[in-house]
Amino acid sequence: MQNNQSWEEEVSFKDYLRVILKRKWTVFNFFIILVTIVAIGSFKMKPVYEATTRLLIEKERSSSISFQEIVGVETSQEDYYQTQYKIIKSRRFAREVVKKLHLERISGFTAGTKKDTVTLFLKYVKVNPIRNSRLVDISVEYGDPQLAAEMVNTLADVYIQQNLESSIFIARGILAKLPEEERSYEKIEDLAINTEKLSSLPSVINNPLIQQLKMDHAEVEAKYANLSKRYKKKHPTMIELTSTLERMEDRINWETKRVVESLKTELSGALRGNNIRIIDKAEIPDIPIKPKVKLNIILAIMAGLMGGCGLVFLFEYLDDTVKGDRDIEQYLGLVFLGFIPKINNNKRKDKNVRDKDLFVNVHSESIISELIKSIRSKLIFSLPKDKLKTILVTSTGPQEGKTFTAVNLAAAFAQLGEKTLLVDCDLRRPSVHKIFTLKNGKGVSDYLVGEAELDEIIKETEVKNLSVIFSGAFAPNPAELLNPQNLEQFMQLLKTKFDRVILDSPPIIPVSDVLGLSTVVDGVIQVVCWGKVSRQVIKRATKILREVNARILGAVLNNIDVEKSEYSYYSDQYK
């Protein structure tokens, strides 16, 4: 766990860039597909136009302001404007617009019932208040620019007209309080100086306070009439009653004038203006607001790059194969001996089998040959020569390049002047004889069953200092044949005749042949194919070797696509 954490801390920007470059075609394909789809979709979309009308909405003011209105002016104003915004988008106004423009006859609104037409229309309407002002924009988005302008202008007209009619309705209620011949603002102005007409107004006659004052006045008048029979006018009681009557008459006149002034104020507010007006009428738009082709493509480019990179990192996270020396050391716990790049196909063209696989001999000056020699050097310095004479080369599964590694490693040792022997111990699928273009004659299987002598099975090759033993005749029971008891003496004899013995063995997971071999050699090299086998499977193979106490020298990472790997700095050198 600690190793994994330390590895994560070492991850740098270059590592992320390497991952992206390794899967650059994934990023490119995702980018092209997304941008193409968005571009085609944007160009095929039906254009949508927006027509906007700007209104000024003033709050209605009453003739008198209460203390509560002064204290709560902000809340009241906010509630008023929010109410107006909802009224603009009401179904009542929408129904009027549909009726005036006959929208139910237009193809875009033929959704069935008239109710559905109203609902469709409201979907196109937007109300956008302008902050810190009393202005509000009413917009309609629709595919036909001319109809969009007509719809929003009609909606604004309907809203203003309905607001004006509401004001007139209030005014009519006020006028109903007056006699028919006095129902005008100018007539009310004359009432203030005409005392007889004042008292005859319905709103005055029906006023509860004035009615009560008149009843009290009548009672005092009756009392005055009764007492006048007993007292003269200058009697203190009569003087007091006279004074009371005068005060009551003044109160009645004052209340009457107050009612008339109230009527004048209400009527002037109702008749003399509308608190809503159009500031800018909608014009027919020239440029569509949707689709925003440039913006869509820019966003698609950004999303394509980000999405492609995200997809790459997802694939990298899900990819459980071995792709570098850190994977071998951190996840598998093996010593990293080196790597062998994937050989360019151009180098293999028109070459025979020997040239394809005996690469270190045919292309001795190439970078791949140098990398194989580097593996050889690490092996030489890992243990003294007398303690590392026999080396087994194996892999987790088939087709990971163990035979290629074994052949070229043996040739590399031979180039040092060491007397080297290559032994094909893969009795099930032998292939070493094909590399040297020789017949698979007597070999390991024949020797182990006692049908051939050691000198009979050792073959010289054209590579100086390199001999080879082929697998021999087909063996029906390779696992039993390659048991440690049979192999121990065989290995000891080989050590006496050669400086190095390289054994090519079967893979670990499919068969158990390698178990006997791994216990009689001085060391085991585990070949891992780049990006092919899961780390968990390789771990299991390593565990199998360790369970039989095999000495694992380390791992070789084979068949690396250097352009996609962390070893891309070799890409130009080995081509």
Side-chain angles (χ1 to χ4, degrees):
M1 184 68 180
Q2 189 174 358
N3 290 338
N4 289 343
Q5 288 177 350
S6 63
W7 177 81
E8 289 173 1
E9 291 173 359
E10 293 173 4
V11 175
S12 64
F13 173 75
K14 290 183 179 179
D15 295 307
Y16 292 114
L17 184 61
R18 175 184 57 80
V19 171
I20 293 172
L21 292 176
K22 183 178 77 172
R23 300 182 185 268
K24 58 182 178 291
W25 289 110
T26 300
V27 178
F28 178 77
N29 291 334
F30 183 86
F31 173 81
I32 291 297
I33 291 171
L34 183 63
V35 172
T36 302
I37 291 173
V38 171
I40 292 173
S42 297
F43 283 114
K44 282 192 171 183
M45 283 178 64
K46 184 179 179 182
V48 176
Y49 297 86
E50 182 182 58
T52 302
T53 295
R54 178 164 292 181
L55 302 180
L56 173 65
I57 303 177
E58 297 281 3
K59 187 181 177 185
E60 295 175 336
R61 294 283 183 182
S62 59
S63 58
S64 60
I65 302 177
S66 65
F67 174 76
Q68 288 81 2
E69 290 175 320
I70 294 173
V71 174
V73 64
E74 291 298 330
T75 304
S76 174
Q77 180 169 306
E78 181 66 23
D79 291 346
Y80 172 77
Y81 283 105
Q82 290 298 325
T83 302
Q84 294 304 310
Y85 304 151
K86 297 295 183 184
I87 289 173
I88 293 172
K89 289 196 70 173
S90 65
R91 295 185 67 84
R92 175 189 171 191
F93 290 174
R95 201 176 294 111
E96 287 294 324
V97 175
V98 170
K99 183 179 178 182
K100 285 177 179 290
L101 299 179
H102 304 289
L103 296 181
E104 68 277 0
R105 300 176 185 175
I106 298 173
S107 59
F109 290 92
T110 53
T113 64
K114 193 172 184 179
K115 181 179 179 181
D116 296 329
T117 304
V118 170
T119 303
L120 280 174
F121 170 73
L122 287 175
K123 286 182 179 179
Y124 301 133
V125 177
K126 291 184 178 180
V127 178
N128 301 309
I130 299 175
R131 291 190 63 184
N132 302 321
S133 73
R134 296 174 183 176
L135 300 173
V136 59
D137 288 339
I138 307 175
S139 304
V140 169
E141 296 179 2
Y142 193 65
D144 185 340
Q146 183 174 350
L147 183 57
E150 289 178 4
M151 286 191 289
V152 71
N153 286 329
T154 304
L155 178 59
D157 292 341
V158 168
Y159 172 55
I160 293 173
Q161 182 65 26
Q162 291 291 335
N163 184 74
L164 184 60
E165 287 181 4
S166 298
S167 300
I168 293 173
F169 178 78
I170 295 171
R172 287 173 180 170
I174 296 170
L175 292 172
K177 300 176 183 179
L178 303 176
E180 290 186 7
E181 64 275 8
E182 305 294 340
R183 291 182 181 178
S184 68
Y185 184 82
E186 290 74 13
K187 291 289 184 180
I188 293 176
E189 290 281 1
D190 298 335
L191 288 178
I193 56 175
N194 193 326
T195 307
E196 293 181 2
K197 287 185 177 182
L198 279 176
S199 58
S200 64
L201 289 174
S203 56
V204 173
I205 295 173
N206 297 326
N207 188 284
L209 179 57
I210 295 176
Q211 288 178 354
Q212 183 64 42
L213 290 172
K214 285 183 177 182
M215 288 174 63
D216 294 342
H217 184 273
E219 289 180 3
V220 175
E221 273 191 331
K223 186 177 180 180
Y224 182 88
N226 289 332
L227 291 177
S228 64
K229 296 176 182 179
R230 296 169 55 186
Y231 306 110
K232 292 183 178 181
K233 291 183 178 180
K234 294 185 179 181
H235 190 275
T237 303
M238 299 302 289
I239 293 173
E240 183 180 354
L241 288 173
T242 301
S243 178
T244 301
L245 286 171
E246 289 176 354
R247 288 196 303 273
M248 296 181 74
E249 287 172 358
D250 290 341
R251 178 69 186 281
I252 291 170
N253 290 335
W254 185 84
E255 289 293 336
T256 301
K257 288 181 180 180
R258 189 185 66 79
V259 171
V260 173
E261 288 297 325
S262 177
L263 286 172
K264 288 167 62 180
T265 302
E266 291 184 38
L267 191 60
S268 65
L271 292 178
R272 289 187 176 184
N274 194 342
N275 66 313
I276 300 171
R277 65 178 183 270
I278 295 176
I279 301 299
D280 291 318
K281 212 170 183 65
E283 298 179 353
I284 299 174
D286 298 325
I287 302 173
I289 62 165
K290 298 176 185 177
K292 298 178 180 178
V293 178
K294 289 184 179 178
L295 179 61
N296 290 348
I297 292 176
I298 290 172
L299 291 176
I301 290 172
M302 295 173 61
L305 292 174
M306 294 174 64
C309 292
L311 198 62
V312 160
F313 288 121
L314 176 62
F315 288 160
E316 187 71 12
Y317 175 77
L318 297 176
D319 187 357
D320 191 33
T321 59
V322 174
K323 297 175 289 293
D325 56 309
R326 282 178 295 189
D327 290 343
I328 289 174
E329 293 174 349
Q330 299 290 343
Y331 290 107
L332 305 180
L334 298 174
V335 175
F336 179 68
L337 296 175
F339 71 93
I340 302 173
K342 183 179 181 180
I343 298 174
N344 194 308
N345 287 332
N346 292 331
K347 285 186 176 287
R348 294 188 169 214
K349 191 173 182 181
D350 299 326
K351 301 288 184 179
N352 56 37
V353 177
R354 180 181 60 81
D355 292 342
K356 290 178 182 178
D357 293 301
L358 199 55
F359 198 88
V360 75
N361 188 59
V362 178
H363 305 282
S364 59
E365 301 300 324
S366 69
I367 186 65
I368 295 177
S369 296
E370 292 302 322
L371 290 170
I372 294 171
K373 292 173 185 178
S374 174
I375 297 170
R376 175 195 66 189
S377 298
K378 286 187 179 181
L379 292 172
I380 291 172
F381 290 112
S382 65
L383 287 170
K385 186 174 181 180
D386 59 339
K387 294 187 179 297
L388 189 60
K389 299 194 74 172
T390 54
I391 301 172
L392 178 70
V393 180
T394 186
S395 62
T396 302
Q399 298 180 346
E400 289 194 64
K402 59 179 180 55
T403 300
F404 175 86
T405 304
V407 169
N408 284 277
L409 192 58
F413 276 112
Q415 287 178 356
L416 275 182
E418 294 188 3
K419 193 176 180 182
T420 307
L421 176 67
L422 174 64
V423 183
D424 189 354
C425 292
D426 190 349
L427 305 185
R428 299 175 187 269
R429 298 180 63 182
S431 58
V432 173
H433 64 283
K434 296 178 183 177
I435 296 172
F436 291 95
T437 62
L438 296 173
K439 183 180 178 182
N440 187 12
K442 290 185 178 183
V444 175
S445 60
D446 301 281
Y447 176 82
L448 292 177
V449 296
E451 294 183 359
E453 295 297 328
L454 183 59
D455 293 335
E456 291 182 69
I457 61 174
I458 297 175
K459 302 288 192 296
E460 296 296 328
T461 68
E462 62 185 57
V463 180
K464 187 179 179 181
N465 298 319
L466 179 62
S467 301
V468 64
I469 297 177
F470 299 138
S471 62
F474 172 75
N477 53 348
E480 287 77 7
L481 200 59
L482 295 174
N483 67 75
Q485 290 79 11
N486 290 342
L487 294 170
E488 188 67 42
Q489 184 182 4
F490 181 48
M491 289 297 108
Q492 292 302 324
L493 284 174
L494 295 180
K495 285 181 180 181
T496 60
K497 288 181 174 290
F498 294 93
D499 298 323
R500 301 281 180 181
V501 179
I502 308 298
L503 292 85
D504 177 31
S505 77
I508 303 167
I509 293 295
V511 294
S512 61
D513 303 7
V514 73
L515 298 183
L517 287 166
S518 64
T519 60
V520 296
V521 294
D522 296 330
V524 178
I525 295 175
Q526 199 167 336
V527 177
V528 177
C529 185
W530 182 86
K532 181 178 181 180
V533 184
S534 167
R535 292 195 294 256
Q536 297 301 322
V537 177
I538 300 172
K539 270 186 177 181
R540 184 148 43 97
T542 306
K543 184 181 178 183
I544 291 172
L545 291 178
R546 285 175 175 159
E547 286 175 350
V548 296
N549 298 318
R551 177 190 285 176
I552 304 176
L553 301 173
V556 173
L557 192 56
N558 183 49
N559 202 36
I560 293 179
D561 188 341
V562 291
E563 292 183 350
K564 295 181 180 180
S565 72
E566 59 191 71
Y567 309 102
S568 55
Y569 47 84
Y570 283 99
S571 59
D572 294 329
Q573 300 180 50
Y574 86 90
K575 287 181 179 179

